[in-house]
Amino acid sequence: MILVYTEINKGKVKKASLEAINYGAKIAELTNSTVTAIAINADAPQIEEMGKAGAKKIVSIKNDALNSNDSMLLSATVEQIANAEGAKIIVFSFDITGKAVAPRLSARLKAGLVAGAVDYPTINGNNLEVKKSVFSGKATALYSINSEIKIISILPNSFPVKLGDNAATVVEFTADLSNVNSKIVFKEKKSNDVGGMIPLPEAELVVSAGRGMKGPENWGMIEELAKELRATTACSRPVADMHWRPHHEHVGQTGVAIRPNLYIAIGISGAIQHLAGVNGSKTIVVINSDKEAPFFKSADYGILGDAFTIVPKLVEAIKKFKANQN
Amino acid sequence: MMKILVPISNVPDTTTKIAFTNGDTEFNTAGVQFIINPYDEWYALVRALELKEAGKAEKVTVIHVGLADSDATIRKAFALGADDGVRIDNEGPDAYFVAEQIANYAKENGYELIMAGKETISFNGSSVGAMIAGFMDLPLVSLATKFDLEGNKATIEHDIDGGTQVVECELPLVVSCAKGMAEQRIPNMKGIMGARTKPLTVVAATSNDKLTNIKSYTLSAGRTTCKMIDENNIDELVHLLHTEAKVI
Ligand SMILES: Cc1cc2nc3c(=O)[nH]c(=O)nc-3n(C[C@H](O)[C@H](O)[C@H](O)COP(=O)(O)OP(=O)(O)OC[C@H]3O[C@@H](n4cnc5c(N)ncnc54)[C@H](O)[C@@H]3O)c2cc1C
Ligand SMILES: Nc1ncnc2c1ncn2[C@@H]1O[C@H](COP(=O)(O)O)[C@@H](O)[C@H]1O
């Protein structure tokens, strides 16, 4: 049985969680097994969607304490389910929760972990072999997991989501958290104001701008382009460091690493540390006024020229395209 | 008073052109400049040093799991101000193994605050900090961007899905450190001179549990050619994104 950890966000099953269930289903196929998904504080439609993604069984837990993002409580819950179900392979998304819970579980269950898988695993005797991205996207490494229990967390946006018509059986589970000695006390939560945009790690379309924009007052056209495309905005590191844009928009080696379908880089030179966080994007468009800008060497499409005239034209072209689509 | 343990990793400089040897089974270190992993240095170590300077911690120890060729990197941490260092003499890099070694050392030597980086720029596991917390059965605050300490109580701001959150937690505690914790520092002359004489203890590994290993590497494929589009023909770009790239 393949155990998959899922999360609900803003009333929906996270896309990253659907990817993880699909991925689990693929391993189930390879190992002649089935997928059991863990659903935390999920309602009936959400559980139904997990079934459609390929879960045969859903272990449903209702416990408000688990809404706190405390990885100690979450990990104890998953550990109890893994033991009760006899899970040998556990799948997470390599997202913020997955990065906190999967490693703790690895330590608790003595389970080898590959964090950030970019491909489906293959089976080699008792071992699983799976590729993960290393050196900030500059290479991949083929890992072998040699322990009895194995954990894989998958890089978001690396696997397509497919929904079928499978329906899962649901069982209720109560985790005993009385022995979990967490001392974390929650004070306040602030949500990043992204104006209804999809968060960067999950975004399929990203519009990003750099120091070439000259100042924060010029971001209006960047936001407009993003709005037309229903894309999420990002920026280079100096732009975040100078507080032209919020820190959560900073992409690159020391910021968020993303792999959207489309990355549009405007007034960004393409320094190696910037590329490290974005070169997994499927298609890259670069708009830059310097024909020597290194980014053109890592782009699929380029426009040489002044962003201040090109971006408004691009907005118009997209509007026209959308009008023709309808 | 409380002691802080900062696990540091030894990684290729961010500008390194990555290459492999030995039938693509090993990272080629020829000509590569190694540095302290940026998250460990700029955020974890510098914030730990600030806490000590503010009289909130007694000592800052750096710990590294690696071979003797990492010693220069450990001495860089001394130059920045770390009091002493420990190297567990084993090449790693399996995260489970590394974390178990660090957790064992921390338990035996009474460290109450462990400040790791959020991830290494070499293996990008984002795992070791949370694993240490698992081995020690301690709370973890991941992706910390602000950290303060009053007596035994830490107040921490950290990233969560779609936002940030402020929490309080009593020590002992593990945090993984991200951008915002502190500003990068340049070592001064006094630091550099003192680095040579600070104690670096080398100890043998306490277990041999390696649960994963790397069989081979592949370089990421670069992009072949960039199609240039005239700025007066932007409809063409939109058309290509739709029909050729199929991304809109
Ligand atoms: C250890 C380390 C880690 C780092 N991590 C990151 C990271 O995670 N992310 C990151 O982004 N950087 C990172 N950096 C910084 C990186 O090296 C670059 O300095 C940075 O990416 C440059 O940002 P930029 O492209 O916005 O600015 P610049 O390099 O100044 O480039 C601006 C570009 O805009 C173009 N331009 C100017 N005017 C116009 C115009 N009117 N129209 C069109 N184009 C125009 C210019 O030709 C130029 O190419 C890191 C550096 C180090 C040392
Ligand atoms: N070999 C190592 N020795 C000491 N600390 C390490 C080592 N590898 C990783 N770490 C620490 O664990 C953090 C996360 O690493 P990783 O899980 O490899 O991304 C790093 O930022 C370091 O603080």
Short mmCIF file of all heavy atoms in Angstrom, two decimals, chain A residues 43-82:
data_model
loop_
_atom_site.label_atom_id
_atom_site.label_comp_id
_atom_site.label_asym_id
_atom_site.label_seq_id
_atom_site.Cartn_x
_atom_site.Cartn_y
_atom_site.Cartn_z
N ASP A 43 -13.68 17.80 3.77
CA ASP A 43 -15.12 17.52 3.67
C ASP A 43 -15.39 16.55 2.52
O ASP A 43 -14.46 16.15 1.80
CB ASP A 43 -15.92 18.82 3.55
CG ASP A 43 -15.57 19.60 2.30
OD1 ASP A 43 -15.04 18.99 1.34
OD2 ASP A 43 -15.81 20.82 2.28
N ALA A 44 -16.67 16.19 2.34
CA ALA A 44 -17.00 15.13 1.37
C ALA A 44 -16.55 15.44 -0.07
O ALA A 44 -15.95 14.57 -0.71
CB ALA A 44 -18.49 14.84 1.43
N PRO A 45 -16.82 16.64 -0.60
CA PRO A 45 -16.36 16.89 -1.98
C PRO A 45 -14.86 16.81 -2.14
O PRO A 45 -14.33 16.35 -3.18
CB PRO A 45 -16.84 18.32 -2.27
CG PRO A 45 -17.83 18.67 -1.22
CD PRO A 45 -17.59 17.77 -0.05
N GLN A 46 -14.14 17.25 -1.11
CA GLN A 46 -12.67 17.19 -1.18
C GLN A 46 -12.20 15.74 -1.18
O GLN A 46 -11.31 15.35 -1.95
CB GLN A 46 -12.06 17.95 0.02
CG GLN A 46 -12.33 19.45 -0.05
CD GLN A 46 -12.25 20.14 1.30
OE1 GLN A 46 -12.12 19.50 2.34
NE2 GLN A 46 -12.33 21.46 1.29
N ILE A 47 -12.84 14.92 -0.35
CA ILE A 47 -12.48 13.50 -0.29
C ILE A 47 -12.82 12.82 -1.63
O ILE A 47 -12.06 11.99 -2.13
CB ILE A 47 -13.21 12.84 0.90
CG1 ILE A 47 -12.51 13.28 2.19
CG2 ILE A 47 -13.26 11.32 0.77
CD1 ILE A 47 -13.11 12.80 3.47
N GLU A 48 -13.93 13.25 -2.21
CA GLU A 48 -14.31 12.68 -3.51
C GLU A 48 -13.24 12.99 -4.56
O GLU A 48 -12.88 12.13 -5.38
CB GLU A 48 -15.65 13.29 -3.93
CG GLU A 48 -16.27 12.59 -5.12
CD GLU A 48 -17.57 13.27 -5.53
OE1 GLU A 48 -18.25 13.84 -4.64
OE2 GLU A 48 -17.89 13.26 -6.72
N GLU A 49 -12.71 14.22 -4.51
CA GLU A 49 -11.68 14.60 -5.48
C GLU A 49 -10.41 13.76 -5.30
O GLU A 49 -9.76 13.37 -6.27
CB GLU A 49 -11.36 16.08 -5.37
CG GLU A 49 -10.57 16.56 -6.57
CD GLU A 49 -10.42 18.07 -6.65
OE1 GLU A 49 -10.60 18.74 -5.62
OE2 GLU A 49 -10.11 18.56 -7.74
N MET A 50 -10.08 13.46 -4.06
CA MET A 50 -8.90 12.61 -3.81
C MET A 50 -9.11 11.23 -4.41
O MET A 50 -8.17 10.61 -4.93
CB MET A 50 -8.65 12.48 -2.30
CG MET A 50 -8.22 13.78 -1.66
SD MET A 50 -8.00 13.54 0.12
CE MET A 50 -7.98 15.24 0.66
N GLY A 51 -10.33 10.75 -4.35
CA GLY A 51 -10.65 9.46 -4.97
C GLY A 51 -10.44 9.54 -6.47
O GLY A 51 -9.81 8.66 -7.07
N LYS A 52 -10.92 10.63 -7.06
CA LYS A 52 -10.78 10.78 -8.51
C LYS A 52 -9.32 10.84 -8.94
O LYS A 52 -8.96 10.45 -10.05
CB LYS A 52 -11.49 12.06 -8.98
CG LYS A 52 -13.00 11.91 -8.99
CD LYS A 52 -13.63 13.17 -9.51
CE LYS A 52 -15.14 13.02 -9.56
NZ LYS A 52 -15.79 14.34 -9.61
N ALA A 53 -8.48 11.34 -8.05
CA ALA A 53 -7.05 11.42 -8.37
C ALA A 53 -6.38 10.06 -8.27
O ALA A 53 -5.23 9.91 -8.68
CB ALA A 53 -6.36 12.43 -7.45
N GLY A 54 -7.09 9.06 -7.70
CA GLY A 54 -6.53 7.71 -7.71
C GLY A 54 -6.40 7.03 -6.36
O GLY A 54 -5.84 5.94 -6.27
N ALA A 55 -6.92 7.66 -5.30
CA ALA A 55 -6.85 7.01 -3.98
C ALA A 55 -7.96 5.97 -3.87
O ALA A 55 -9.11 6.26 -4.14
CB ALA A 55 -6.98 8.05 -2.87
N LYS A 56 -7.60 4.73 -3.47
CA LYS A 56 -8.61 3.67 -3.29
C LYS A 56 -9.23 3.78 -1.90
O LYS A 56 -10.36 3.40 -1.69
CB LYS A 56 -7.96 2.28 -3.44
CG LYS A 56 -7.68 1.89 -4.88
CD LYS A 56 -8.90 1.19 -5.49
CE LYS A 56 -8.67 0.78 -6.93
NZ LYS A 56 -8.52 1.93 -7.85
N LYS A 57 -8.43 4.26 -0.97
CA LYS A 57 -8.91 4.37 0.40
C LYS A 57 -8.50 5.72 0.95
O LYS A 57 -7.41 6.21 0.64
CB LYS A 57 -8.29 3.24 1.23
CG LYS A 57 -8.67 3.21 2.69
CD LYS A 57 -8.09 1.95 3.34
CE LYS A 57 -8.18 2.01 4.85
NZ LYS A 57 -7.46 0.88 5.47
N ILE A 58 -9.39 6.33 1.74
CA ILE A 58 -9.05 7.60 2.37
C ILE A 58 -9.13 7.42 3.88
O ILE A 58 -10.14 6.95 4.39
CB ILE A 58 -10.07 8.71 1.99
CG1 ILE A 58 -10.32 8.76 0.49
CG2 ILE A 58 -9.66 10.05 2.58
CD1 ILE A 58 -9.41 9.61 -0.31
N VAL A 59 -8.06 7.77 4.56
CA VAL A 59 -8.08 7.80 6.02
C VAL A 59 -8.37 9.24 6.41
O VAL A 59 -7.56 10.13 6.17
CB VAL A 59 -6.73 7.33 6.60
CG1 VAL A 59 -6.78 7.41 8.12
CG2 VAL A 59 -6.41 5.92 6.14
N SER A 60 -9.56 9.44 6.97
CA SER A 60 -10.01 10.80 7.25
C SER A 60 -9.86 11.11 8.73
O SER A 60 -10.32 10.36 9.59
CB SER A 60 -11.47 10.93 6.80
OG SER A 60 -12.02 12.12 7.29
N ILE A 61 -9.19 12.24 9.02
CA ILE A 61 -8.97 12.65 10.41
C ILE A 61 -9.58 14.01 10.61
O ILE A 61 -9.33 14.92 9.82
CB ILE A 61 -7.47 12.76 10.75
CG1 ILE A 61 -6.78 11.47 10.41
CG2 ILE A 61 -7.24 13.10 12.21
CD1 ILE A 61 -5.64 11.72 9.49
N LYS A 62 -10.36 14.14 11.67
CA LYS A 62 -10.89 15.47 12.02
C LYS A 62 -10.28 15.87 13.34
O LYS A 62 -10.50 15.22 14.36
CB LYS A 62 -12.43 15.40 12.14
CG LYS A 62 -13.12 15.00 10.84
CD LYS A 62 -13.62 16.24 10.12
CE LYS A 62 -13.95 16.07 8.66
NZ LYS A 62 -14.72 14.99 8.17
N ASN A 63 -9.45 16.91 13.32
CA ASN A 63 -8.81 17.35 14.55
C ASN A 63 -8.32 18.78 14.35
O ASN A 63 -7.42 19.03 13.55
CB ASN A 63 -7.65 16.42 14.88
CG ASN A 63 -7.02 16.75 16.22
OD1 ASN A 63 -7.17 17.85 16.74
ND2 ASN A 63 -6.32 15.78 16.79
N ASP A 64 -8.92 19.73 15.08
CA ASP A 64 -8.57 21.15 14.88
C ASP A 64 -7.11 21.45 15.21
O ASP A 64 -6.53 22.37 14.63
CB ASP A 64 -9.48 22.04 15.73
CG ASP A 64 -10.87 22.12 15.14
OD1 ASP A 64 -11.00 21.78 13.93
OD2 ASP A 64 -11.81 22.51 15.85
N ALA A 65 -6.53 20.65 16.11
CA ALA A 65 -5.13 20.90 16.48
C ALA A 65 -4.22 20.80 15.26
O ALA A 65 -3.15 21.39 15.22
CB ALA A 65 -4.69 19.91 17.55
N LEU A 66 -4.67 20.05 14.25
CA LEU A 66 -3.83 19.84 13.08
C LEU A 66 -3.88 21.01 12.09
O LEU A 66 -3.17 21.02 11.10
CB LEU A 66 -4.22 18.54 12.37
CG LEU A 66 -4.01 17.28 13.22
CD1 LEU A 66 -4.51 16.05 12.47
CD2 LEU A 66 -2.55 17.11 13.59
N ASN A 67 -4.73 22.00 12.37
CA ASN A 67 -4.75 23.18 11.50
C ASN A 67 -3.61 24.14 11.81
O ASN A 67 -3.46 25.16 11.17
CB ASN A 67 -6.08 23.94 11.67
CG ASN A 67 -7.22 23.17 11.02
OD1 ASN A 67 -7.00 22.41 10.09
ND2 ASN A 67 -8.42 23.37 11.53
N SER A 68 -2.80 23.80 12.79
CA SER A 68 -1.82 24.75 13.31
C SER A 68 -0.50 24.76 12.55
O SER A 68 0.40 25.52 12.90
CB SER A 68 -1.53 24.41 14.76
OG SER A 68 -0.91 23.13 14.81
N ASN A 69 -0.31 23.91 11.55
CA ASN A 69 0.97 23.80 10.83
C ASN A 69 2.09 23.28 11.70
O ASN A 69 3.25 23.42 11.35
CB ASN A 69 1.45 25.15 10.27
CG ASN A 69 0.45 25.77 9.34
OD1 ASN A 69 0.03 25.15 8.39
ND2 ASN A 69 0.07 27.00 9.64
N ASP A 70 1.80 22.70 12.87
CA ASP A 70 2.88 22.20 13.72
C ASP A 70 3.32 20.83 13.21
O ASP A 70 2.59 19.85 13.27
CB ASP A 70 2.39 22.12 15.17
CG ASP A 70 3.52 21.74 16.11
OD1 ASP A 70 4.53 21.15 15.64
OD2 ASP A 70 3.41 22.03 17.31
N SER A 71 4.56 20.79 12.69
CA SER A 71 5.01 19.58 12.03
C SER A 71 5.13 18.40 12.99
O SER A 71 5.06 17.24 12.60
CB SER A 71 6.36 19.82 11.35
OG SER A 71 7.31 20.24 12.29
N MET A 72 5.27 18.70 14.28
CA MET A 72 5.38 17.61 15.26
C MET A 72 4.04 16.86 15.36
O MET A 72 4.01 15.63 15.42
CB MET A 72 5.72 18.23 16.61
CG MET A 72 6.65 17.41 17.44
SD MET A 72 7.15 18.40 18.86
CE MET A 72 8.09 17.17 19.71
N LEU A 73 2.95 17.62 15.39
CA LEU A 73 1.62 17.00 15.48
C LEU A 73 1.29 16.27 14.18
O LEU A 73 0.76 15.15 14.19
CB LEU A 73 0.55 18.07 15.76
CG LEU A 73 0.69 18.83 17.08
CD1 LEU A 73 -0.31 19.99 17.14
CD2 LEU A 73 0.47 17.89 18.26
N LEU A 74 1.60 16.91 13.06
CA LEU A 74 1.29 16.30 11.76
C LEU A 74 2.09 15.01 11.57
O LEU A 74 1.56 13.99 11.14
CB LEU A 74 1.59 17.28 10.62
CG LEU A 74 0.66 18.49 10.56
CD1 LEU A 74 1.18 19.52 9.57
CD2 LEU A 74 -0.75 18.07 10.16
N SER A 75 3.36 15.08 11.92
CA SER A 75 4.20 13.91 11.73
C SER A 75 3.75 12.75 12.63
O SER A 75 3.73 11.60 12.20
CB SER A 75 5.65 14.32 12.00
OG SER A 75 6.41 13.23 12.33
N ALA A 76 3.36 13.06 13.87
CA ALA A 76 2.88 12.00 14.77
C ALA A 76 1.63 11.35 14.19
O ALA A 76 1.44 10.13 14.26
CB ALA A 76 2.59 12.59 16.15
N THR A 77 0.76 12.17 13.60
CA THR A 77 -0.47 11.65 13.00
C THR A 77 -0.13 10.70 11.84
O THR A 77 -0.66 9.58 11.77
CB THR A 77 -1.33 12.82 12.48
OG1 THR A 77 -1.56 13.72 13.56
CG2 THR A 77 -2.65 12.33 11.90
N VAL A 78 0.74 11.15 10.95
CA VAL A 78 1.10 10.32 9.80
C VAL A 78 1.78 9.03 10.28
O VAL A 78 1.54 7.94 9.76
CB VAL A 78 2.01 11.08 8.80
CG1 VAL A 78 2.32 10.21 7.60
CG2 VAL A 78 1.35 12.37 8.35
N GLU A 79 2.62 9.18 11.30
CA GLU A 79 3.33 8.00 11.82
C GLU A 79 2.33 6.95 12.33
O GLU A 79 2.47 5.76 12.03
CB GLU A 79 4.26 8.45 12.96
CG GLU A 79 5.12 7.33 13.53
CD GLU A 79 6.03 7.80 14.66
OE1 GLU A 79 6.24 9.02 14.81
OE2 GLU A 79 6.52 6.93 15.40
N GLN A 80 1.32 7.41 13.05
CA GLN A 80 0.33 6.46 13.58
C GLN A 80 -0.44 5.78 12.45
O GLN A 80 -0.71 4.58 12.50
CB GLN A 80 -0.63 7.16 14.55
CG GLN A 80 0.06 7.53 15.87
CD GLN A 80 -0.79 8.41 16.77
OE1 GLN A 80 -2.02 8.43 16.66
NE2 GLN A 80 -0.14 9.16 17.65
N ILE A 81 -0.77 6.54 11.42
CA ILE A 81 -1.50 5.94 10.29
C ILE A 81 -0.59 4.98 9.54
O ILE A 81 -1.00 3.86 9.18
CB ILE A 81 -2.03 7.04 9.35
CG1 ILE A 81 -3.05 7.90 10.10
CG2 ILE A 81 -2.67 6.42 8.10
CD1 ILE A 81 -3.47 9.14 9.36
N ALA A 82 0.67 5.39 9.33
CA ALA A 82 1.62 4.52 8.60
C ALA A 82 1.76 3.19 9.34
O ALA A 82 1.77 2.12 8.72
CB ALA A 82 2.96 5.22 8.46
#
